Amino acid sequence: MAKPTPLSGFPEFLPAERVVEQEVLATLARTFELHGFGNIETRAVEPMDQLLRKGETSKEVYVLRRLQDTGQGDAGMGLHYDLTVPFARYVLENAGKLEFPFRRWQIQKVWRGERPQEGRFREFTQADIDVVGRDVLPFHHDVEVARVMLDALSRLSFLPGLRLQVNNRKLIQGFYAGLGAQDTDEVMRVVDKLDKLAEDKVAELLVTEARLDEKQAVQCLALARICTADDSFVEQVRALGVEHELLDQGLEELAAVVRGCAGLVTDKVRIEADLKIARGLDYYTGTVFETRLDGFESLGSVCSGGRYDALASDGKVTYPGVGISLGVSRLLVPLVQKGVLAGSRSVPSAVLVALNDEDSRAGADAVAQQLRANGVPCEVAASPQKFGKQIRYAERRGIPYVLFTTAEGGHEVKDIRSGDQVAADPATWTPPTADLRPTVVSTGSTTESNGSTTDDQETKQ
Amino acid sequence: MAKPTPLSGFPEFLPAERVVEQEVLATLARTFELHGFGNIETRAVEPMDQLLRKGETSKEVYVLRRLQDTGQGDAGMGLHYDLTVPFARYVLENAGKLEFPFRRWQIQKVWRGERPQEGRFREFTQADIDVVGRDVLPFHHDVEVARVMLDALSRLSFLPGLRLQVNNRKLIQGFYAGLGAQDTDEVMRVVDKLDKLAEDKVAELLVTEARLDEKQAVQCLALARICTADDSFVEQVRALGVEHELLDQGLEELAAVVRGCAGLVTDKVRIEADLKIARGLDYYTGTVFETRLDGFESLGSVCSGGRYDALASDGKVTYPGVGISLGVSRLLVPLVQKGVLAGSRSVPSAVLVALNDEDSRAGADAVAQQLRANGVPCEVAASPQKFGKQIRYAERRGIPYVLFTTAEGGHEVKDIRSGDQVAADPATWTPPTADLRPTVVSTGSTTESNGSTTDDQETKQ
């Protein structure tokens, strides 16, 4: 075959780039499990009627067909485009065997049948956490999922800073209702355009499309402008003089999320009550989350979610849920492609076991197994070249140490970065922890060079 | 929606079952990395012309179509049915950026567009290791991949015993050629039927289809009967009196694999030179591998592979490879479904932090974060029920410890299995290592209850 070319929208990593993704996925998984979230994986396919329940995404589904299918068969299956639809189905299917509240993490690929175009992924990885209850789900789980994701993000110390932006649908819809708006959904839909349109244009649409008067429109924009890192937003909202029971509930809930997360905030990972966040097209009913990456705002939200009063329902029992989904590919593909993040080496090996001649391979294999028994990743040289060549073999792969067997049958290990070479017993020698496995290297350049991407593939799922 | 029913051929695990799979995947990944294999993931889709290169699998491909596609677009993409075709494509696409020999592991789902039927997977997970060279790949890598997989399997101590069966195409084809067979491929194809047909039937086919005389057929069957756990097969083959240069090469290579793996053999994980193994339909050119699970022989081979002289080629450069692929779903789904293997609990939490009342939730969250800082997975009770109910909440999930805050503000931890309760400082207390995370529990029953499955979904890929 001729040299194949990449498929637009299906990003793949080179081995050293994959190191970054592996580290991120492992850290997420570890953090989710520290918080008691269990893991599941769901099949890649769902029945088309499930995938098409949300009208908006129906255009973006990949439908499957068996190549030799004669008309029957697998018609009616498509690849999942998020992890929420399959999770809801899994909960209903296994409800009798699950313990509620059921807390799960799930990291899998999802697919969207987009037309090929710059900046659109057709295959990407998402990392989701959700808590789902049977009939009821206490509000404190809204705080919990925010805490878990903040904890996970703050452990990814090589990332640029992140802002978790929280709002509450009850708050904004209660406010609009308190103002006297007739169609609060429509008001929300218009206000949600603030990230695309200028304020005066949105004010105009609030009058023409959401049928508010000008004073009401001004009030809506004043609410949307409120953004605080603590619970002082409550006072600012109160100062606008609008009253409604739903608004009170929303204020209380949003304040609880911000206060509940305060202990996990760091210099780099922050939380904000941002009252313009609405996540317009999704069926959220309370808390909503979005997340911006400092210096990469044009990526849109890299981590989004919220509360659903009915994540799933079988007609008799309703399962409320709250969750948050990190767009792993959306976050990492640009950072890796721009060279902001890289793996420190292309292989896991910390040590290359050098080979004196081909006959000594069995001995070199035995030495390597001694190192592995102590958890040291290593490989034996592919061929007994001159030592200079074996060292360059290690160098090209980023392997920091080469272990030699001396003429007397002893062993010496060379740090090829410093050139230091010392005697070492393979049964006990281990490299410093920092060299044990590949690490993620950040160039520290945390501003995007190109701010043209403004797609909303995940922002408006 | 009504309660959904499972889709035939798309196995999914409950959380405690997924614990088994997580442990297997983590052990495989860790072992592959200890041996210096780097990780990659490839996209789920490949161009149809690549997927159809092997005629035999063309019936089993899932073709993709964008729901709103108007005839153009993604026509010509299908889901990969193994990890070898995408790996070969990845090597060609990135050849200029990879270091050869390139050693990689890859664990991903694959799909086959089978008609729904018992025992057939339409989605399953494979774990592959391969070493690929540019132009040449020394034979010792054949030994290496066998060693790595044996090492990985022997770390999965909860599995039933396994037999890695090795043979060599040069050996059998050299033998057939030395006998005077005209079409050695056809002889191999017929001998490969020994796992389905009786010996006398195969002898007949060797005469009618492979055009051997009766004496030659008897010799072929004598070769196929040879099976040894060490290199004594060499002598047994020599005793048959056939000579051919290719046979000599094959004998030498197979003996090297068996000897090279001897140090990794355990009571449970063994290696055998089994001269009837051929893997008839694949393009192997030397070493071939299959693996049987003790007591579950009817599953067929759970781990197969071999040497390809041309894993990939761009017309100018050829990339020889050797690899082995573990059918993770094929191995685990039956063991989990039959209850042979189970996870020790359904959540990662080792500790439930009990709640005195809802107002003390922030304090309980802080205690939980102290435990997590020491790597102890835990969760805070969902509601401040009576302690008896909170203990039962832990019990139902298999959480072994409950941590209480006393009226004086101190802490006590109860092992709910023994009932022992002792004072504990959440800043320093950790459970015994064995309780830290869910483990895989084996019932010790290692015989299948039902021997009817004889499909060859992975044996003849």
Side-chain angles (χ1 to χ4, degrees):
Chain A
M1 75 191 273
K3 187 181 166 182
T5 49
L7 264 182
S8 162
F10 291 89
E12 287 185 331
F13 287 132
L14 289 167
E17 297 170 343
R18 170 68 178 160
V19 163
V20 178
E21 192 175 37
Q22 280 184 287
E23 177 61 24
V24 169
L25 298 179
T27 302
L28 294 172
R30 197 166 57 243
T31 311
F32 299 158
E33 302 226 319
L34 280 172
H35 285 264
F37 283 63
N39 180 229
I40 65 164
E41 286 202 342
T42 54
R43 62 188 191 226
V45 307
E46 295 295 333
M48 285 304 294
D49 57 350
Q50 286 309 303
L51 294 172
L52 300 184
R53 279 195 306 167
K54 291 188 187 177
E56 191 61 23
T57 43
S58 65
K59 292 188 287 291
E60 303 177 355
V61 176
Y62 277 122
V63 187
L64 295 192
R65 168 175 73 78
R66 290 196 299 123
L67 186 60
Q68 302 296 324
D69 196 5
T70 51
Q72 297 298 314
D74 298 327
M77 296 202 306
L79 294 177
H80 57 219
Y81 53 78
D82 71 6
L83 300 178
T84 305
V85 170
F87 177 58
R89 189 264 312 153
Y90 180 95
V91 167
L92 287 181
E93 187 175 318
N94 299 294
K97 298 168 188 161
L98 301 174
E99 296 291 338
F100 294 94
F102 175 48
R103 302 144 88 250
R104 81 87 176 78
W105 65 272
Q106 186 170 355
I107 298 182
Q108 285 184 247
K109 298 216 168 91
V110 305
W111 294 271
R112 300 206 180 162
E114 308 263 4
R115 245 181 293 270
Q117 58 180 292
E118 181 63 28
R120 288 272 172 172
F121 295 130
R122 299 194 281 169
E123 173 178 74
F124 50 100
T125 299
Q126 296 214 336
D128 282 29
I129 51 171
D130 285 273
V131 187
V132 60
R134 193 203 299 262
D135 300 321
V136 291
L137 183 72
F139 167 75
H140 62 76
H141 291 294
D142 293 40
V143 185
E144 180 180 29
V145 297
R147 285 173 55 89
V148 176
M149 195 54 89
L150 277 181
D151 195 6
L153 292 171
S154 66
R155 289 167 195 255
L156 299 170
S157 53
F158 44 77
L159 288 183
L162 289 146
R163 256 177 320 138
L164 179 64
Q165 302 160 296
V166 198
N167 198 359
N168 191 294
R169 286 267 180 103
K170 294 177 190 168
L171 188 162
I172 51 180
Q173 296 205 305
F175 185 90
Y176 304 151
L179 270 181
Q182 297 305 305
D183 185 347
T184 59
D185 277 350
E186 182 62 15
V187 178
M188 191 175 70
R189 201 186 58 76
V190 172
V191 172
D192 202 31
K193 293 181 192 287
L194 277 172
D195 57 348
K196 300 250 170 84
L197 299 178
E199 255 196 23
D200 53 354
K201 181 68 191 159
V202 172
E204 197 183 306
L205 291 176
L206 282 171
V207 174
T208 56
E209 296 190 357
R211 285 165 297 141
L212 299 187
D213 63 31
E214 280 187 29
K215 194 170 158 239
Q216 288 170 324
V218 167
Q219 287 276 70
C220 287
L221 290 173
L223 183 77
R225 250 179 256 123
I226 296 174
C227 180
T228 68
D230 55 23
D231 60 7
S232 61
F233 69 89
V234 177
E235 213 173 302
Q236 296 185 35
V237 175
R238 293 290 183 211
L240 297 177
V242 176
E243 301 213 349
H244 195 275
E245 198 193 327
L246 203 58
L247 170 62
D248 295 344
Q249 259 188 52
L251 284 169
E252 195 180 315
E253 289 189 0
L254 183 56
V257 173
V258 174
R259 283 195 297 258
C261 290
L264 289 161
V265 163
T266 66
D267 278 359
K268 284 184 62 182
V269 177
R270 293 104 60 206
I271 191 166
E272 264 174 9
D274 187 332
L275 274 52
K276 74 173 170 300
I277 301 297
R279 299 200 62 67
L281 296 169
D282 279 314
Y283 299 145
Y284 296 113
T285 50
T287 306
V288 286
F289 302 110
E290 293 194 359
T291 308
R292 258 74 188 177
L293 190 63
D294 295 349
F296 294 85
E297 284 76 8
S298 71
L299 292 180
S301 175
V302 294
C303 183
S304 313
R307 153 77 66 151
Y308 291 92
D309 279 344
L311 178 78
S313 172
D314 61 9
K316 280 172 287 190
V317 184
T318 294
Y319 299 87
V322 60
I324 187 161
S325 170
L326 176 66
V328 176
S329 306
R330 166 177 275 245
L331 178 68
L332 294 185
V333 170
L335 294 179
V336 167
Q337 282 175 350
K338 289 174 204 288
V340 177
L341 299 179
S344 61
R345 55 186 192 248
S346 67
V347 293
S349 306
V351 183
L352 176 73
V353 178
L355 207 54
N356 294 335
D357 49 51
E358 197 54 45
D359 288 344
S360 61
R361 181 170 295 280
D365 281 339
V367 166
Q369 279 301 97
Q370 288 184 296
L371 292 170
R372 291 178 191 127
N374 293 321
V376 181
C378 62
E379 59 189 90
V380 174
S383 62
Q385 297 173 297
K386 288 185 181 159
F387 287 145
K389 283 202 169 178
Q390 295 191 46
I391 290 170
R392 278 196 292 285
Y393 176 104
E395 228 161 26
R396 279 198 305 275
R397 288 160 177 78
I399 302 173
Y401 298 94
V402 178
L403 188 145
F404 300 98
T405 302
T406 63
E408 298 74 35
H411 301 282
E412 292 186 356
V413 67
K414 179 195 275 287
D415 181 333
I416 66 173
R417 297 157 301 187
S418 64
D420 293 345
Q421 186 163 337
V422 295
D425 178 356
T428 56
W429 181 85
T430 59
T433 308
D435 288 333
L436 202 53
R437 40 199 101 253
T439 54
V440 178
V441 181
S442 164
T443 63
S445 148
T446 55
T447 344
E448 58 197 326
S449 53
N450 164 346
S452 64
T453 323
T454 51
D455 82 86
D456 54 0
Q457 195 169 25
E458 286 180 40
T459 314
K460 303 282 157 57
Q461 44 180 284
Chain B
M1 76 191 273
K3 188 184 166 182
T5 49
L7 265 182
S8 163
F10 291 90
E12 286 185 333
F13 287 131
L14 289 168
E17 298 170 342
R18 170 68 177 160
V19 163
V20 178
E21 192 174 38
Q22 281 184 286
E23 176 61 25
V24 168
L25 298 180
T27 302
L28 293 172
R30 198 166 57 243
T31 311
F32 299 157
E33 303 225 318
L34 281 172
H35 285 264
F37 283 64
N39 181 228
I40 65 164
E41 287 203 341
T42 55
R43 62 188 190 227
V45 307
E46 296 295 333
M48 285 305 294
D49 56 350
Q50 286 310 304
L51 294 172
L52 300 184
R53 278 196 306 165
K54 291 187 186 178
E56 190 62 20
T57 42
S58 64
K59 292 188 288 290
E60 304 176 354
V61 176
Y62 276 122
V63 186
L64 295 191
R65 171 175 71 78
R66 288 196 300 123
L67 186 60
Q68 303 294 325
D69 197 6
T70 49
Q72 297 298 314
D74 298 328
M77 295 201 308
L79 294 177
H80 58 217
Y81 54 78
D82 71 7
L83 300 179
T84 305
V85 170
F87 176 57
R89 189 264 312 155
Y90 180 96
V91 167
L92 287 182
E93 188 174 317
N94 298 295
K97 297 168 189 161
L98 301 174
E99 294 293 337
F100 294 94
F102 175 48
R103 302 145 87 246
R104 81 87 175 79
W105 65 272
Q106 188 170 354
I107 297 181
Q108 285 185 249
K109 297 216 170 91
V110 306
W111 294 271
R112 301 207 181 161
E114 308 264 4
R115 244 182 293 269
Q117 57 181 293
E118 180 64 30
R120 288 271 173 173
F121 295 130
R122 298 195 280 169
E123 173 178 75
F124 50 100
T125 299
Q126 296 214 335
D128 282 28
I129 50 171
D130 286 272
V131 186
V132 61
R134 193 202 301 259
D135 298 321
V136 289
L137 183 72
F139 166 75
H140 62 77
H141 291 293
D142 293 40
V143 184
E144 179 180 31
V145 297
R147 284 173 57 89
V148 176
M149 195 53 88
L150 277 180
D151 194 7
L153 292 171
S154 66
R155 288 167 196 255
L156 300 169
S157 54
F158 43 78
L159 288 183
L162 289 146
R163 255 177 321 140
L164 179 64
Q165 303 160 295
V166 198
N167 199 1
N168 191 294
R169 285 268 180 101
K170 293 177 190 167
L171 188 164
I172 52 180
Q173 295 206 304
F175 186 91
Y176 304 151
L179 269 180
Q182 297 305 307
D183 185 347
T184 59
D185 277 350
E186 181 63 13
V187 177
M188 191 175 71
R189 199 187 60 77
V190 172
V191 171
D192 202 32
K193 292 181 191 288
L194 276 172
D195 57 349
K196 300 252 170 83
L197 298 178
E199 255 198 22
D200 54 354
K201 182 66 190 162
V202 172
E204 198 183 304
L205 291 176
L206 283 171
V207 174
T208 57
E209 296 190 356
R211 284 165 297 140
L212 299 187
D213 63 31
E214 279 187 29
K215 195 173 156 234
Q216 288 170 323
V218 166
Q219 287 276 69
C220 287
L221 291 172
L223 184 78
R225 248 178 258 123
I226 295 174
C227 180
T228 69
D230 55 23
D231 60 6
S232 60
F233 69 89
V234 177
E235 213 174 300
Q236 294 186 34
V237 174
R238 293 290 183 211
L240 296 177
V242 177
E243 302 212 347
H244 195 274
E245 196 193 328
L246 203 58
L247 171 62
D248 295 344
Q249 257 188 55
L251 284 169
E252 195 181 313
E253 289 189 1
L254 183 56
V257 173
V258 174
R259 284 194 296 260
C261 289
L264 289 162
V265 164
T266 66
D267 279 359
K268 285 183 62 184
V269 178
R270 293 104 62 205
I271 190 166
E272 265 173 10
D274 187 332
L275 274 52
K276 73 173 172 298
I277 301 296
R279 302 200 60 69
L281 297 169
D282 279 314
Y283 299 144
Y284 297 113
T285 49
T287 306
V288 287
F289 301 109
E290 293 194 356
T291 310
R292 257 74 191 178
L293 190 62
D294 295 348
F296 294 85
E297 283 77 8
S298 72
L299 291 180
S301 176
V302 295
C303 184
S304 312
R307 154 77 66 150
Y308 291 89
D309 279 344
L311 177 79
S313 172
D314 62 8
K316 278 173 286 187
V317 184
T318 295
Y319 300 86
V322 60
I324 187 161
S325 170
L326 176 66
V328 176
S329 305
R330 165 176 275 245
L331 178 67
L332 293 185
V333 171
L335 294 178
V336 167
Q337 281 175 351
K338 289 173 203 288
V340 177
L341 298 179
S344 62
R345 56 187 191 247
S346 66
V347 293
S349 306
V351 183
L352 176 73
V353 178
L355 208 53
N356 294 336
D357 48 50
E358 197 54 45
D359 287 345
S360 60
R361 181 170 296 280
D365 280 340
V367 166
Q369 278 301 96
Q370 287 184 295
L371 291 170
R372 290 177 191 126
N374 293 320
V376 181
C378 60
E379 58 189 89
V380 174
S383 63
Q385 296 173 298
K386 289 185 180 160
F387 286 146
K389 284 201 169 178
Q390 294 191 46
I391 289 171
R392 277 195 293 285
Y393 176 104
E395 230 162 24
R396 279 199 304 277
R397 289 160 175 79
I399 302 173
Y401 298 94
V402 178
L403 189 144
F404 300 98
T405 303
T406 64
E408 296 76 36
H411 300 284
E412 293 186 357
V413 67
K414 180 196 275 289
D415 180 334
I416 65 173
R417 297 157 302 186
S418 65
D420 294 346
Q421 185 163 336
V422 295
D425 178 356
T428 56
W429 182 86
T430 59
T433 309
D435 289 332
L436 202 53
R437 36 199 107 253
T439 53
V440 178
V441 180
S442 164
T443 63
S445 148
T446 56
T447 347
E448 57 197 328
S449 53
N450 164 344
S452 65
T453 325
T454 52
D455 83 86
D456 55 1
Q457 195 170 26
E458 287 182 39
T459 314
K460 304 282 158 54
Q461 47 176 282

